[in-house]
Amino acid sequence: MISTISGGSIIGAYYVLNKNNFESFEASFKQNLQKSCIRKIITNWRFLIPITLYLGVGYIIFFDPFNINFSTLIISIIVGLYILLPLIFQFQFISFTTLKIKAYKAIFFGEKTLSDLPSYPIIAINATNLSTGTLWTFSKNKTSDSSYEYPKDGGNSIKFECDQFPLAIAVASSTSVPVPFNPVTIPAKYFQKNEDYSRIKPMLIDGGLYDNQGIHKLTQFNSSYSCDIIIASDGSQPFGKEYNSGNTFSILYRGIDVMMRKIKNLQFIRDVYSSDKEIAYFSLDWKYEQCVIEFVKAAKSNLVPNDVLLYHNLNKNEPESPLNEIVTAIKDRIGLENIIKNGLTEKEIDFISKIKTNLTALKKNEIDLLSKHGEVLTEIQIKLYCPTIFL
């Protein structure tokens, strides 16, 4: 099972489409990451024509090259409309989500649909449904929102038939960050019953707003995607203390960051720190030796499953030995020194943790560092938190 949100949906979907040849997948995906989605968006005629017309109108209004000599009142009205109309009808003026879908098709997915996804591993591509405030999930055999499966209006469950739904649109819905990107809607043809289209209107945006780690569906016992052993990769940037407070948009983005941080902390408490499941979580800015220290602290706090404690020769109750002695023993047990010999320096880790996931092209050295760091962190955390994989 692969559960993805936001930028993780791009690599998750691309991987399962190319899972039978990992070397080919890795080479082609690294190549595609060096292409800029933003460049494809701003060079598309659907962007260039409206922007050119808008700037042309602005030039006529402010410089009056044809000597029209509008009155002050008319100019004031025109300027007001010039500023307000694009704000009020932003997504009708330019749909950045539509342009992003075209970029995804050109770079990653072509005309692939959900039916092209493999039966195994199952991938769940998650978006946040603004209409219900819950998760909407795309997968090969089931596309739904739990709020529609058990509707509050007393009607029958609402079902969808999305096997021919474009994969690029599914991934775009999962990565539609609020403000610049408009929500993705579900056309009537994907409803199992036509009459249900008038009952609801799904509005899908970035899955991270509801499920910041992409593990909600994996950790819920009543979920059809539930798993006992989970590896969670958090590629979000660390929460920085410095930010621009000079305009409304900067404050808005900072507010979104704060909200995402709160969701992340709540998910840690509810889902990641678990004595019931083996969950190997790691974040982009984590240092290698600190992973072992945090594991021992979790073990002392009874936040690690008993089977994992037994594997590492730790009692379920709080270990009596000093923390540094336990840390040293665990390092030796998992072979930390051998794992990190090809890892990154702390300076390199600090560098890659600041790489932004803003759909611009990544440089080859950035991709290589991210890949190497992810490989090392994955091995460390699996050997710490999911050792039963090796039994």
Side-chain angles (χ1 to χ4, degrees), residues 36-162:
S36 173
C37 287
I38 294 296
R39 179 176 296 176
K40 285 193 173 294
I41 289 173
I42 63 177
T43 56
N44 190 292
W45 66 269
R46 292 191 179 187
F47 174 82
L48 291 175
I49 290 178
I51 286 296
T52 301
L53 290 174
Y54 184 72
L55 294 177
V57 170
Y59 179 78
I60 292 173
I61 293 173
F62 294 107
F63 296 98
D64 194 15
F66 303 113
N67 296 315
I68 300 175
N69 294 319
F70 289 120
S71 68
T72 302
L73 177 61
I74 296 297
I75 291 178
S76 299
I77 293 173
I78 293 175
V79 169
L81 292 174
Y82 181 79
I83 296 172
L84 290 177
L85 287 179
L87 294 177
I88 297 173
F89 301 102
Q90 175 186 345
F91 300 137
Q92 288 76 20
F93 183 63
I94 298 178
S95 171
F96 283 103
T97 296
T98 299
L99 297 177
K100 181 171 65 172
I101 290 168
K102 289 182 175 295
Y104 282 179
K105 286 184 176 181
I107 298 175
F108 298 108
F109 305 115
E111 298 301 322
K112 297 289 186 181
T113 66
L114 294 181
S115 64
D116 292 306
L117 296 172
S119 298
Y120 180 85
I122 298 171
I123 182 170
I125 300 170
N126 298 292
T128 301
N129 188 351
L130 289 179
S131 297
T132 63
T134 55
L135 275 186
W136 171 287
T137 303
F138 292 98
S139 65
K140 181 182 178 70
N141 299 319
K142 181 181 179 182
T143 294
S144 67
D145 178 323
S146 59
S147 300
Y148 299 145
E149 294 181 15
Y150 309 98
K152 295 182 179 180
D153 62 3
N156 295 324
S157 297
I158 300 172
K159 305 291 185 181
F160 304 88
E161 293 181 350
C162 291

